[in-house]
């Protein structure tokens, strides 16, 4: 483990901006620290992989202790992991996934995301600020909305919701007598979402950018492999119709096409990573 000091808000806001002029006073320390693991991420990934032999030993041990029966292996609170680390999340994985999604959307938008735009992009995932979510273990709420969860992430310094000045100053006269809906829409337009200090310290922009590119790369490759399979079926049916009999597939040809698509997918992922870095405006932060 290592002790890491979190960024101050001024340091976070300076990410992506041009280097400060020489002679300018250095920002003050935040005085807030976290403990961060120093284990190699690849080692953690391997240690979290399920091992069938270890899984069987865990099941047998739990049965011997009477903690599970023959049909109780799928219960969440006693489910064996079968991994060396036996890592179990403190909160539902869906909540972690939503945080990663919001961080990805902010980064892909150049590190700052206006609230109306965040709502529109979440809507494409069928997520709304009023969507009901499971509550984390540390929460006293029986259930929570998506906005409640994002508010918790702000309190824990993973996200930052910043109020921006209204153009032209405060409204006067007839502008005050707007409908409630119009006032609410104007209010949400006054907020921007950014990364919090813990997101920079624990997750890092580089890791999130690689997650985005890996997801997009796999999605593209899966779609191309599906189309390849459909094309092969069409060719087989056409050939069978001409020859009057079934035509066997050519495994070597299939392997060559798959290798070609893998190569294209890798190049697509590399290009996406460059695009995310370009949109961010500067080198991505790393953990």
């Amino acid at each position: 483990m290592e002790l890491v000091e979190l960024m101050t808000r001024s340091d976070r806001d300076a990410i992506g901006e041009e280097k400060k002029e020489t002679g300018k006073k250095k920002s003050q320390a935040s005085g807030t620290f976290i403990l961060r693991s120093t284990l190699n991420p690849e080692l953690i990934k391997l240690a979290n992989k399920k091992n069938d032999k270890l899984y069987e030993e865990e099941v047998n041990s739990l049965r011997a202790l009477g903690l599970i029966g023959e049909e109780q292996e799928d219960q969440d609170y006693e489910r064996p992991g079968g991994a060396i680390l036996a890592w179990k999340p403190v909160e539902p994985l869906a909540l972690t996934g939503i945080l990663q999604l919001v961080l990805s959307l902010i980064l892909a938008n150049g590190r700052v995301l206006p609230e109306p735009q965040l709502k529109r992009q979440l809507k494409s995932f069928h997520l709304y600020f009023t969507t009901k979510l499971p509550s984390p273990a540390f929460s006293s709420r029986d259930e929570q909305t998506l906005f409640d969860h994002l508010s918790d992430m702000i309190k824990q310094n993973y996200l930052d919701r910043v109020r921006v000045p209204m153009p032209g100053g405060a409204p006067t006269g007839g502008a005050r007598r707007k409908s409630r809906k119009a006032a609410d829409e104007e209010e949400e337009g006054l907020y921007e979402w950014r990364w919090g200090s813990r997101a920079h310290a624990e997750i890092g922009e580089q890791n999130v950018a690689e997650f985005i590119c890996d997801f997009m790369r796999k999605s593209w490759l899966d779609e191309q492999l599906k189309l390849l399979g459909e094309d092969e079926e069409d060719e087989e049916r056409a050939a069978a119709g001409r020859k009057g009999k079934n035509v066997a597939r050519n495994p070597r040809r299939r392997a060559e096409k798959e290798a070609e698509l893998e190569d294209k997918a890798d190049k697509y992922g590399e290009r996406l990573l460059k695009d995310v870095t370009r949109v961010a405006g500067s080198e991505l932060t790393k953990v």
Side-chain angles (χ1 to χ4, degrees), residues 27-39:
S27 61
Q28 294 182 351
S30 68
T32 305
F33 296 84
I34 61 166
L35 280 173
R36 187 170 66 190
S37 171
T38 56
L39 286 175

Side-chain angles (χ1 to χ4, degrees), residues 146-170:
L146 173 59
F147 188 76
D148 290 333
H149 174 55
L150 296 181
S151 298
D152 285 341
M153 294 300 96
I154 293 172
K155 292 174 184 176
Q156 295 177 42
N157 216 354
Y158 286 105
L159 292 171
D160 197 9
R161 184 175 184 244
V162 182
R163 188 180 180 93
V164 294
M166 180 184 294

Side-chain angles (χ1 to χ4, degrees), residues 21-286:
E21 297 178 4
T22 54
K24 193 168 183 178
K25 197 171 182 180
K26 191 176 180 181
S27 61
Q28 294 182 351
S30 68
T32 305
F33 296 84
I34 61 166
L35 280 173
R36 187 170 66 190
S37 171
T38 56
L39 286 175
N40 187 304
E42 290 300 319
L43 180 61
I44 296 175
K45 189 184 296 185
L46 287 172
N48 273 292
K49 280 190 175 181
K50 182 179 177 180
N51 181 281
D52 291 336
K53 187 175 180 180
L54 182 57
Y55 176 82
E56 187 178 346
E57 289 292 333
E58 287 182 350
V59 170
N60 292 336
S61 296
L62 290 172
R63 282 178 181 161
L65 293 171
L67 297 177
I68 63 172
E70 294 295 328
E71 305 296 332
Q72 291 180 315
E73 295 171 20
D74 291 333
Q75 294 185 20
D76 288 338
Y77 63 89
E78 291 294 358
R79 185 173 58 206
I84 297 174
L85 285 183
W87 179 78
K88 291 184 179 180
V90 177
E91 60 184 30
L93 286 177
L95 300 183
T96 304
I98 287 173
L99 173 62
Q100 294 288 342
L101 172 62
V102 173
L103 291 174
S104 299
L105 293 175
I106 295 171
L107 180 61
N109 195 65
R111 295 189 170 110
V112 178
L113 188 58
E115 188 160 300
Q117 190 173 341
L118 172 63
K119 285 187 170 183
R120 286 195 300 271
Q121 293 185 4
L122 288 174
K123 186 178 178 180
S124 65
F125 295 92
H126 304 286
L127 290 171
Y128 306 86
F129 275 10
T130 55
T131 299
K132 299 294 184 182
L133 299 176
S135 292
F138 58 80
S139 175
S140 59
R141 297 187 293 260
D142 292 332
E143 63 177 16
Q144 62 175 351
T145 63
L146 173 59
F147 188 76
D148 290 333
H149 174 55
L150 296 181
S151 298
D152 285 341
M153 294 300 96
I154 293 172
K155 292 174 184 176
Q156 295 177 42
N157 216 354
Y158 286 105
L159 292 171
D160 197 9
R161 184 175 184 244
V162 182
R163 188 180 180 93
V164 294
M166 180 184 294
T172 58
R176 291 198 186 100
R177 296 188 292 272
K178 291 184 178 180
S179 68
R180 180 61 182 269
K181 181 179 179 182
D184 289 344
E185 289 175 352
E186 185 176 82
E187 179 73 9
E188 43 178 65
L190 298 177
Y191 288 96
E192 293 176 339
W193 290 76
R194 305 167 185 259
W195 280 39
S197 297
R198 285 186 69 180
H200 283 289
E202 296 181 14
I203 304 171
E205 291 178 341
Q206 183 69 29
N207 288 332
V208 170
E210 289 175 359
F211 162 76
I212 296 171
C213 298
D214 189 53
F215 175 81
M216 295 298 293
R217 173 194 170 280
K218 287 180 178 177
S219 298
W220 181 88
L221 182 58
D222 289 344
E223 182 64 25
Q224 294 302 312
L225 290 174
K226 180 182 176 182
L227 293 174
L228 175 61
E230 292 173 355
D231 289 343
E232 287 180 339
E233 289 177 0
D234 291 341
E235 291 175 4
E236 287 173 6
R237 281 194 293 266
R242 289 193 302 269
K243 297 182 179 181
K245 59 180 180 179
N246 292 333
V247 179
R249 293 192 179 186
N250 187 333
R252 178 178 293 181
R253 184 185 174 197
R254 170 77 184 196
E256 288 174 352
K257 287 189 175 182
E258 287 183 356
E260 183 180 343
L261 287 174
E262 285 276 2
D263 185 56
K264 287 183 178 179
D266 289 341
K267 291 178 180 177
Y268 175 61
E270 291 170 3
R271 188 167 66 251
L272 277 176
L273 186 57
K274 291 179 181 178
D275 289 342
V276 172
T277 305
R278 177 179 54 78
V279 170
S282 67
E283 186 178 353
L284 303 177
T285 61
K286 299 178 182 178

